[in-house]
Amino acid sequence: MTKPTLISFKLCPYVQRSVINLLEKKVDYEIKYIDLANKPDWFLKISPFGRVPVLVVGEEVLFESAVINEYLDETNLPSLHPKDPLQKAKHRAWGEFASALLVDQYGWTMSKEEKDSEKKKEEILSKFKILESILPDPKQGKLFFAGDTMHLVDTAYAPFFMRLEFLKQKDKQFDLVSAFPKLKIWSETLLSLPSVKNSVLPEVPEEYIAFIKAHNSWMGGKL
Ligand SMILES: N[C@@H](CCC(=O)N[C@@H](CS)C(=O)NCC(=O)O)C(=O)O
């Protein structure tokens, strides 16, 4: 297989999902970082939405993290999806739910006004309630989304939990996960995995906080 190249922006949670998959699958890959505030021409030529991640495979270009991750999963067995088509479809649906959480998280951190930030926080909390009701019981050793092993769907959530952890470490008022016991254990489990820990550069925690502050958001003023 041609060595794929992942086009990344250091702080992007969607790129991070693909990195986790590449590391989980022990794929030999290259990574190229770009600055989204100053997109190079070669990037704009290959990225239809002008967004990262993009995966370059030989002459071909893939975009959209979920699609990239499905491709990586299919071409680097064993698959991290369940075999049963219904379960697999269910995992994909809950992967979409993770994407909605990332959008909420971005709004929560970047809103200029406190009331808009609070609204996004409420949206996150209502999604947490739903997740808490469907997660398996960690007391029975079921620490992941679907029980005792990691699946592709877990990799869709890890970047969200990592950013929540960065915020929580800055200020306890941004700890949204502790009120949800199953979610908390799931988050801790994901954040302890080497593939997750190694999916960002060492400077990312600090730069994530600096990025929020630089946008003069309500939360940025509290960090
Ligand atoms: N649905 C896309 C979302 C990707 C996305 O929103 N990427 C952001 C960075 S995290 C981006 O490239 N934004 C373009 C910009 O900021 O101009 C995916 O899952 O790949």
Side-chain angles (χ1 to χ4, degrees), residues 8-9 11-18 34-39 43-44 47 49-54 63-69 96 99 102-103 106 163 211:
S8 170
F9 168 61
L11 300 180
C12 178
Y14 302 94
V15 175
Q16 193 186 350
R17 292 169 160 179
S18 298
I34 61 157
D35 179 5
L36 283 178
N38 192 10
K39 296 176 191 170
F43 170 72
L44 289 170
S47 175
F49 287 134
R51 296 196 301 224
V52 290
V54 159
F63 57 102
E64 285 299 315
S65 63
V67 177
I68 290 171
N69 296 339
E96 290 297 316
S99 297
L102 281 174
V103 173
Y106 189 82
R163 278 152 191 75
F211 186 78

Side-chain angles (χ1 to χ4, degrees), residues 160-176:
F160 170 87
F161 287 129
M162 187 180 274
R163 278 152 191 75
L164 202 53
E165 184 63 28
F166 296 158
L167 296 171
K168 174 183 141 189
Q169 278 173 11
K170 282 303 271 186
D171 192 325
K172 288 275 175 286
Q173 70 165 306
F174 302 125
D175 173 10
L176 304 188

Side-chain angles (χ1 to χ4, degrees), residues 88-178:
K88 193 192 288 189
K90 195 178 128 184
H91 279 214
R92 287 178 172 139
W94 286 104
E96 290 297 316
F97 200 71
S99 297
L101 269 173
L102 281 174
V103 173
D104 292 341
Q105 187 175 51
Y106 189 82
W108 179 45
T109 56
M110 292 296 175
S111 291
K112 299 271 183 249
E113 304 289 334
E114 180 175 6
K115 66 170 175 22
D116 297 328
S117 182
E118 281 294 310
K119 210 168 140 212
K120 285 292 170 191
K121 179 174 122 181
E122 290 310 317
E123 285 173 25
I124 294 172
L125 292 174
S126 68
K127 288 189 178 67
F128 276 9
K129 229 180 249 173
I130 296 171
L131 282 169
E132 186 74 10
S133 74
I134 61 147
L135 283 172
D137 187 358
K139 290 196 198 88
Q140 290 174 13
K142 298 184 186 307
L143 303 178
F144 292 92
F145 179 87
D148 44 16
T149 59
M150 164 142 150
H151 288 86
L152 209 60
V153 63
D154 293 282
T155 70
Y157 284 85
F160 170 87
F161 287 129
M162 187 180 274
R163 278 152 191 75
L164 202 53
E165 184 63 28
F166 296 158
L167 296 171
K168 174 183 141 189
Q169 278 173 11
K170 282 303 271 186
D171 192 325
K172 288 275 175 286
Q173 70 165 306
F174 302 125
D175 173 10
L176 304 188
V177 97
S178 290

Side-chain angles (χ1 to χ4, degrees), residues 51 75 119 150 172 178 183 196 209 218 223:
R51 296 196 301 224
T75 51
K119 210 168 140 212
M150 164 142 150
K172 288 275 175 286
S178 290
L183 211 64
V196 173
I209 300 296
W218 172 80
L223 294 169

